[in-house]
Amino acid sequence: MSQPHNPPTKLFTRDFLLAAVANLFISMVFYLLMTSMALYAVDRFQASDSAAGLASSAFVIGSVVARLFAGKLLQVLGRKRLAVLALGVFSLAAVCYIFSSTLLLLLIVRLVHGMAFGMANTAIATAVQSLIPQARRSEGTGYFGLSTTLSTAVGPFLAVLLAGNGSYTSVFVFCTIFSTAALLFTVLVRMPEPPPTAHVSTAHARRGSFIRSIISPAALPISLVILVCGIAYSGIISFLAPFLISKSMAEAASWFFIVYAITVLLSRLFAGRIQDRRGDNAIMYPLLFVFVLGLAALAFEPSGLSVASAAALTGFGFGALMPCAQAIAVSAVTPAELGVATSTFFLMLDVGIGFGPVALGMLIPHLGYTGMFGILTVLAVLGIGLYFQVHGRHARGMRRRAA
């Protein structure tokens, strides 16, 4: 099912493109359901606001739990086997939405679905890093991430279109189709496995702690930066729409993420190349600063210009920041540790985006939306300082390890 590890020489190979398409379908399912699940829980089960929120976030909770063990399972099962098994469960879970007759069953399905997502996403993202030539690591990571970016625009659009008349069954049918497509494309991908000599020995594993088996010490520092930035970004995806609706700017909320997706696409065309050719700091500091400006644009009384500026700035900032930070994380480890490093990175991202809104929601009654975005602006500034401490001051002159 897998191939021996040979250093790749080309970027846009058959397997790289197949993995990107599989990732696109996986991400489409994620955004289709994240956009419609809370409203579905209310319409179908008359769920309270808190229960509807749990129905939405249970998926992320499941993903976080899965990523705690994904790195270890990658070493035991291998990348291809774990990806196929996880996507098999992912496809079955998509079907189960149709037959979930109670809110409790829905929550269980969401949790299992999220766990399958976390496993599959980690396995595919790890394998892709071995399909990218070392000299084009940042560029290739950015191009692969475009499949996720496309889903951020198309997924919510389809969710609104399909569920507009309350026909949620059609949403679940499309999710099943997309999940099955992701499974089929993944089966076709030839995923390199690290050589046997690269695996951690049993004796070494016994000496290590459980934490080290699920968290990569080398990838954790830059992953903490993405945790901080993920919390800041979670304020946008969770509270921007109600903020603008409260200001009678509902239309602006609808086109914000379209502008965001376009600028992410543009930024990823060049951000990775700059990082590969000029180093991490040459791109990370500008991206972090632009992200700060995007959040700051939301910390004032909104207008069409400020919302458009925020969409463009956060798209260029946070959108390109993720693949660039991921490239740093995976470049810090050996081939055998790619799985744990990838799991660590996305675990921190999931925690930030999934649990950030809980804390931020407590601030809004006291500070209002603009005050909350002001706090997030300060948090992003702290993210720049954190990046300097954990990586930026050491980045000059560093050479990346081949993976």
Side-chain angles (χ1 to χ4, degrees), residues 7-8 11 20 50 71 107 122 127-128 131 196 202 208 245 281 285 348 368 391-392:
L11 176 56
S50 59
L107 292 174
T122 300
V128 162
L131 297 172
T202 303
I245 291 173
N281 289 348
Y285 282 123
M348 294 298 107
H391 185 78

Side-chain angles (χ1 to χ4, degrees), residues 382-403:
L382 295 176
I384 298 177
L386 178 60
Y387 172 77
F388 170 78
Q389 287 294 326
V390 302
H391 185 78
R393 59 178 176 159
H394 307 297
R396 180 174 295 180
M398 289 177 61
R399 294 177 61 87
R400 290 187 181 162
R401 298 160 109 176

Side-chain angles (χ1 to χ4, degrees), residues 16-380:
F16 178 86
L17 294 175
L18 286 173
V21 174
N23 186 63
L24 170 64
F25 283 120
I26 294 171
S27 300
M28 287 282 286
V29 173
F30 174 82
Y31 285 102
L32 264 169
L33 294 175
M34 286 298 289
T35 303
S36 57
M37 189 50 57
L39 186 59
Y40 171 70
V42 172
D43 289 349
R44 176 71 170 81
F45 303 109
Q46 291 74 52
S48 64
D49 290 339
S50 59
L54 181 59
S56 181
S57 63
F59 188 99
V60 178
I61 295 172
S63 178
V64 168
V65 172
R67 293 194 197 277
L68 292 174
F69 305 97
K72 189 66 175 178
L73 286 175
L74 280 171
Q75 294 178 350
V76 175
L77 297 177
R79 299 164 184 173
K80 181 67 172 282
R81 188 174 300 171
L82 179 60
V84 171
L85 288 175
L87 284 174
V89 176
F90 191 72
S91 300
L92 289 175
V95 177
C96 289
Y97 284 105
I98 301 174
F99 303 103
S100 298
S101 57
T102 66
L103 181 60
L104 177 60
L105 285 176
L106 177 67
L107 292 174
I108 294 173
V109 171
R110 289 292 285 164
L111 190 66
V112 173
H113 204 190
M115 293 179 69
F117 170 83
M119 293 288 186
N121 179 255
T122 300
I124 293 175
T126 300
V128 162
Q129 292 302 320
S130 294
L131 297 172
I132 299 173
Q134 171 63 21
R136 303 179 70 180
R137 171 61 54 77
S138 302
E139 181 185 2
T141 303
Y143 284 138
F144 178 75
L146 290 178
S147 57
T148 301
T149 302
L150 181 60
S151 68
T152 64
V154 179
F157 172 78
L158 277 179
V160 173
L161 181 66
L162 295 173
N165 297 322
S167 179
Y168 293 98
T169 299
S170 60
V171 173
F172 303 143
V173 169
F174 268 83
C175 286
T176 302
I177 293 172
F178 291 155
S179 300
T180 305
L183 174 60
L184 294 177
F185 277 103
T186 300
V187 168
L188 296 175
V189 179
R190 293 170 296 192
M191 296 186 180
E193 301 286 351
T197 55
H199 287 290
V200 180
S201 68
T202 303
H204 182 273
R206 282 197 298 264
R207 289 196 299 269
S209 66
F210 172 73
I211 296 297
R212 286 181 65 91
S213 72
I214 61 176
I215 299 292
S216 167
L220 183 59
I222 191 65
S223 300
L224 292 176
V225 176
I226 213 66
L227 167 64
V228 170
C229 293
I231 294 172
Y233 180 65
S234 74
I236 294 177
I237 59 176
S238 299
F239 300 112
L240 179 69
F243 172 44
L244 295 179
I245 291 173
S246 70
K247 299 294 184 179
S248 301
M249 297 179 65
E251 185 177 347
S254 65
W255 53 255
F256 177 94
F257 288 104
I258 295 177
V259 175
Y260 173 87
I262 292 172
T263 53
V264 170
L265 288 170
L266 293 175
S267 67
R268 292 190 179 182
L269 294 177
F270 61 84
R273 292 185 181 183
I274 294 175
Q275 185 177 14
D276 286 330
R277 295 175 183 177
R278 302 199 175 188
D280 301 328
N281 289 348
I283 193 64
M284 288 294 291
Y285 282 123
L287 292 178
L288 287 165
F289 180 69
V290 169
F291 184 45
V292 168
L293 293 180
L295 291 167
L298 296 173
F300 300 94
E301 190 67 19
S303 66
L305 178 60
S306 67
V307 172
S309 299
L313 291 170
T314 54
F316 273 110
F318 187 76
L321 183 68
M322 286 190 293
C324 290
Q326 185 187 354
I328 294 173
V330 299
S331 295
V333 300
T334 63
E337 298 171 307
L338 269 179
V340 179
T342 303
S343 179
T344 299
F345 180 85
F346 284 108
L347 173 64
M348 294 298 107
L349 179 63
D350 283 351
V351 170
I353 293 180
F355 296 97
V358 177
L360 298 178
M362 299 178 183
L363 296 177
I364 293 175
H366 306 286
L367 301 176
Y369 289 111
T370 55
M372 181 203 68
F373 284 117
I375 294 295
L376 294 183
T377 303
V378 174
L379 184 63

